[in-house]
Amino acid sequence: MAMDIIDYKIVGNDMQYVEVELDPGEAAVGEAGTMMYMEDGIVMDTVFGDGSEQQRGFLGKLMGAGKRLLTGESLFTTIFVNQGQGKKHVSFAAPYPGHIIPIHLPDVGGTLICQKDSFLCAAKGVSLGIAFQRKLGAGFFGGEGFIMQKLDGDGLAFVHAGGTVCQKILAPGEVLRLDTGCLVAMESTVDFDIEYVGKIKSALFSGEGLFFATLRGPGRVWLQSLPLSRMADRIVSASKYAQGGGSRREEGSLLGGIGDLLDGDNR
């Protein structure tokens, strides 16, 4: 299926959204719940799976939707079609602080492997599938399980990364080790595995966990500085302190309650 060729602009710094421009008849597909606004003339339709051509017929649609369930996504995606006159715009917002990465799929060989929750939107015709981790270690200890998301096609796709984005190009055989949650996406040529940190002391006290993700080139990888799981852990931890469930480690902690009095928190 020929992909719709869409124009776009990314707006904002740390809380971004992408505005997609559609010519009459063109369409974009968005992850459920990501639409920010759409202009008059844009018609919205919610479908099973991704609405790509391969899923015509009830069985195809059911299988496509089932794949999305395996990746932890909604059964449905939403297609936005310009049925008006002239160019119209629809926008999709990032779910938490970070950056939106536009990726032209032909530039990565037509396939992109990404984290389960990173897909934001794409030109209609981009297929949303699943990519299984074939190595047991990566599946059990990789932090993201056996299943990642696979985007196929020859159009534009947008994925979201938490915090600051880092893109690295790995030469053949070049190895990069990283925290398992910091991987956003990679080309299909990159080999993904899990490696034990190697030292008991480091495993127990470094705070970096027991395993590294190991990426081996060739290919491009995209990394994020703030995985959603890490941010959620910090928020939950901070809420425990706010509820009196633990001692404070932030401002005034050296003075305890006296510090709170001095900085005015108990007024």
Side-chain angles (χ1 to χ4, degrees):
M1 178 183 185
M3 308 290 158
D4 285 347
I5 301 174
I6 58 176
D7 296 318
Y8 72 92
K9 66 176 180 180
I10 295 175
V11 183
N13 295 312
D14 295 327
M15 291 294 291
Q16 296 183 329
Y17 69 91
V18 57
E19 183 186 80
V20 175
E21 183 177 88
L22 300 175
D23 291 324
E26 284 186 341
V29 56
E31 187 56 83
T34 60
M35 193 275 286
M36 181 178 173
Y37 64 82
M38 60 182 183
E39 295 180 348
D40 187 34
I42 300 283
V43 175
M44 183 176 73
D45 186 23
T46 301
V47 298
F48 265 129
D50 55 18
S52 60
E53 188 178 34
Q54 297 91 322
Q55 296 173 19
R56 283 181 174 174
F58 176 76
L59 185 59
K61 292 178 180 178
L62 192 62
M63 291 183 64
K67 289 178 181 178
R68 289 179 51 76
L69 273 186
L70 288 176
T71 62
E73 306 290 353
S74 167
L75 275 173
F76 304 93
T77 55
T78 306
I79 296 177
F80 300 85
V81 185
N82 179 5
Q83 294 187 356
Q85 301 294 322
K87 297 180 183 295
K88 302 293 181 182
H89 300 88
V90 57
S91 69
F92 304 90
Y96 55 93
H99 291 83
I100 297 171
I101 311 170
I103 297 177
H104 191 220
L105 292 180
D107 294 342
V108 294
T111 299
L112 181 74
I113 309 298
C114 58
Q115 294 287 21
K116 292 179 290 188
D117 57 354
S118 61
F119 172 72
L120 189 65
C121 62
K124 185 184 178 184
V126 171
S127 174
L128 311 179
I130 55 177
F132 285 101
Q133 294 298 334
R134 290 167 295 181
K135 297 180 179 178
L136 291 179
F140 282 119
F141 305 114
E144 302 297 333
F146 284 98
I147 300 172
M148 299 182 76
Q149 198 163 47
K150 182 170 70 171
L151 309 182
D152 286 304
D154 58 7
L156 264 172
F158 300 86
V159 297
H160 177 256
T164 299
V165 178
C166 171
Q167 180 188 146
K168 290 187 174 294
I169 301 176
L170 302 181
E174 183 178 358
V175 172
L176 182 68
R177 296 181 177 86
L178 65 152
D179 181 276
T180 54
C182 289
L183 174 65
V184 179
M186 61 186 183
E187 293 185 4
S188 58
T189 54
V190 176
D191 181 71
F192 176 71
D193 203 353
I194 294 299
E195 179 180 323
Y196 177 57
V197 297
K199 295 181 180 179
I200 294 294
K201 185 172 66 176
S202 297
L204 295 179
F205 303 113
S206 69
E208 303 297 340
L210 299 177
F211 301 94
F212 291 129
T214 303
L215 305 178
R216 186 182 302 275
R220 274 183 291 176
V221 299
W222 290 262
L223 313 179
Q224 59 185 350
S225 65
L226 182 62
L228 176 61
S229 58
R230 185 178 296 179
M231 184 174 70
D233 286 345
R234 295 295 177 89
I235 293 174
V236 170
S237 177
S239 67
K240 290 179 180 176
Y241 291 118
Q243 295 169 6
S247 60
R248 293 185 54 191
R249 295 186 299 178
E250 291 77 24
E251 57 179 345
S253 60
L254 290 177
L255 299 176
I258 298 176
D260 291 339
L261 291 175
L262 292 177
D263 65 22
D265 281 351
N266 288 341
R267 285 180 297 179

